[in-house]
Amino acid sequence: MSQPALLVLEDGRSFTGTSYGATGETFGEAVFTTGMTGYQETLTDPSYHRQIVTQTAPHIGNTGINDEDDESRKIWVAGYVVRDPARVPSNWRATRSLDDQLQAQGIVGIAGIDTRALTRHLRERGAMRAGISTEILDPAELLKKVLEQPAMAGADLAEQVTTADAYVVPAEGAKRFTVVALDLGIKSMTPKRMAERGIEVHVLPATASLEEVLAVNPDGIFMSNGPGDPETTEHPTTLLKQLLEQGKPYFGICFGNQVFGRALGLGTFKLKYGHRGINQPVLDRATGKVEITAQNHGFAVAWPGRENQRSAVDAPLDGPVETPYGTAEVSHVSLNDNVVEGLKLTGRDGRVLAFSVQYHPEAAAGPHDSAYLFDRFAELMEGRN
């Protein structure tokens, strides 16, 4: 029988439920994700490192866990919050239940709470520190420990999730290009999407030097998603500046978009509650098409004139910005809140040199509206060869 469990937010709001997964206590930033499918991919996404994830979909665990859909080597969430966990998984690919997997990896969770009320609270008050415990059931006592935890703002986490050693994902079929992917928290589906397009991907740690990158003799550079505050990520930003100076084609997603913005001289800021889910509408300003995208980020790029982002979210995004490497402009925009969702850099020769998006075009659980961006990256490298 499940033990009682307690969830406490840093502003004192508390929820009582039952233990789900491992017992004990855990702390992190409380966030919510709106995806109705893909919970296995969510749990194993390194971008969720040090976050307590709430699923807004009420029924979680229906399809169990399989051995094929993990996006990395382990579950990264700090804690897990669901309303109505499946009693028995039902899927031909399942090898075990979600509850068993959480227990096996020591992930403390809570079930049976009003996740709608929690989500509404986080939307109104913003993402915040939280704790889940099966050991401390007094809200005031658990709150004291929550308030001792570090905030996500200022957290430098990429080196905690990156690969320890470089590895290669070979191209499928005839090899067309070689790409260096800097692992800031990369998901396994990302190099696979490139490999499907004839790209040999050399995945390097977040600490890789310029010399190590150039030793691969890459046709292009990629920077992945990842956790933490982009303002703390000095090494990848400096590395990208050096690579842009050499005219290397660049593609970045999620955290890689924020690093790109900082390399171009732009700022970043923390969103109130972030964008997390697989139903986020984004406008591609070049084509006028709307993509339904998968997202997971709590920070975003601040365009000039939007430095005080909370009060200037409606400031115009039109107009280019001159950088040391060429002309930058906003390529994609969120249709929910007008946040910058993509950047494009045009070199002095008039050709596109680099681009990035704030979402996940590789999304394994879908949607796949944005998969064309990997083709765009291949075209960019082709034009530079």
Side-chain angles (χ1 to χ4, degrees):
M1 189 172 183
S2 296
Q3 294 182 226
L6 176 68
L7 167 67
V8 173
L9 303 175
E10 72 171 88
D11 65 358
R13 183 78 183 267
S14 64
F15 298 82
T16 301
T18 57
S19 171
Y20 186 55
T23 57
E25 64 180 25
T26 189
F27 302 93
E29 181 186 47
V31 300
F32 62 87
T33 181
T34 57
M36 296 182 69
T37 63
Y39 58 79
Q40 183 169 337
E41 289 87 348
T42 293
L43 289 166
T44 54
D45 180 351
S47 297
Y48 281 113
H49 178 46
R50 240 182 67 184
Q51 291 182 322
I52 293 176
V53 177
T54 300
Q55 294 277 179
T56 61
H59 303 295
I60 298 296
N62 307 55
T63 55
I65 293 289
N66 61 61
D67 294 322
E68 293 80 39
D69 290 346
D70 284 355
E71 286 286 3
S72 65
R73 62 186 180 273
K74 64 175 230 177
I75 294 176
W76 286 101
V77 304
Y80 203 42
V81 184
V82 301
R83 179 167 183 164
D84 186 13
R87 297 175 184 175
V88 178
S90 178
N91 186 276
W92 66 275
R93 299 173 67 225
T95 58
R96 55 205 175 279
S97 72
L98 174 56
D99 187 29
D100 288 342
Q101 186 77 341
L102 293 171
Q103 290 185 45
Q105 297 200 26
I107 306 301
V108 177
I110 185 171
I113 74 164
D114 187 345
T115 51
R116 183 178 181 183
L118 174 57
T119 299
R120 288 172 64 90
H121 189 83
L122 294 176
R123 277 181 60 90
E124 292 168 0
R125 307 291 180 88
M128 64 183 77
R129 291 171 296 174
I132 301 173
S133 180
T134 60
E135 300 170 347
I136 299 175
L137 300 179
D138 175 16
E141 186 179 348
L142 186 56
L143 177 60
K144 291 178 183 178
K145 300 189 74 171
V146 169
L147 295 176
E148 295 172 353
Q149 307 305 313
M152 186 60 70
D156 186 1
L157 303 178
E159 291 186 21
Q160 296 181 20
V161 301
T162 191
T163 181
D165 302 299
Y167 61 93
V168 178
V169 178
E172 297 179 11
K175 176 184 170 182
R176 299 173 60 200
F177 307 107
T178 301
V179 163
V180 163
L182 201 69
D183 177 8
L184 306 178
I186 200 166
K187 295 159 67 178
S188 61
M189 189 56 66
T190 304
K192 177 173 174 55
R193 294 290 187 227
M194 287 190 270
E196 290 170 349
R197 290 159 172 82
I199 299 172
E200 180 180 276
V201 185
H202 292 246
V203 182
L204 302 187
T207 54
S209 66
L210 177 64
E211 292 72 25
E212 289 171 324
V213 171
L214 295 180
V216 178
N217 191 28
D219 298 299
I221 307 297
F222 174 86
M223 287 193 184
S224 75
N225 59 290
D229 186 342
E231 288 192 4
T232 67
T233 313
E234 296 300 331
H235 175 70
T237 302
T238 300
L239 176 62
L240 183 53
K241 288 179 180 179
Q242 296 170 328
L243 292 165
L244 291 174
E245 287 173 357
Q246 299 198 13
K248 289 290 184 183
Y250 173 76
F251 177 30
I253 66 170
C254 203
F255 206 76
N257 175 68
Q258 297 160 17
V259 172
F260 186 34
R262 294 195 67 232
L264 296 176
L266 304 173
T268 55
F269 70 101
K270 195 175 191 304
L271 293 165
K272 183 177 181 180
Y273 51 83
H275 299 164
R276 297 177 181 88
I278 57 177
N279 53 0
Q280 308 283 330
V282 170
L283 173 67
D284 184 336
R285 302 179 91 190
T287 64
K289 293 182 178 179
V290 176
E291 304 165 22
I292 303 303
T293 68
Q295 299 197 15
N296 170 20
H297 62 105
F299 295 83
V301 172
W303 196 247
R306 290 183 163 204
E307 286 78 7
N308 184 4
Q309 191 77 19
R310 287 183 177 83
S311 61
V313 72
D314 294 324
L317 292 170
D318 297 320
V321 170
E322 294 303 320
T323 76
Y325 321 103
T327 303
E329 58 188 298
V330 176
S331 60
H332 295 73
V333 179
S334 168
L335 293 180
N336 281 336
D337 55 14
N338 206 30
V339 163
V340 173
E341 290 282 356
L343 299 169
K344 180 174 72 172
L345 176 67
T346 303
R348 295 182 180 85
D349 59 4
R351 293 190 294 174
V352 175
L353 174 62
F355 69 98
S356 63
V357 293
Q358 188 56 66
Y359 47 92
H360 290 270
E362 85 292 342
H368 300 137
D369 297 25
S370 308
Y372 72 91
L373 290 167
F374 291 105
D375 297 314
R376 184 176 290 182
F377 187 33
E379 292 167 2
L380 184 64
M381 291 185 287
E382 191 169 38
R384 287 280 163 178
N385 288 331

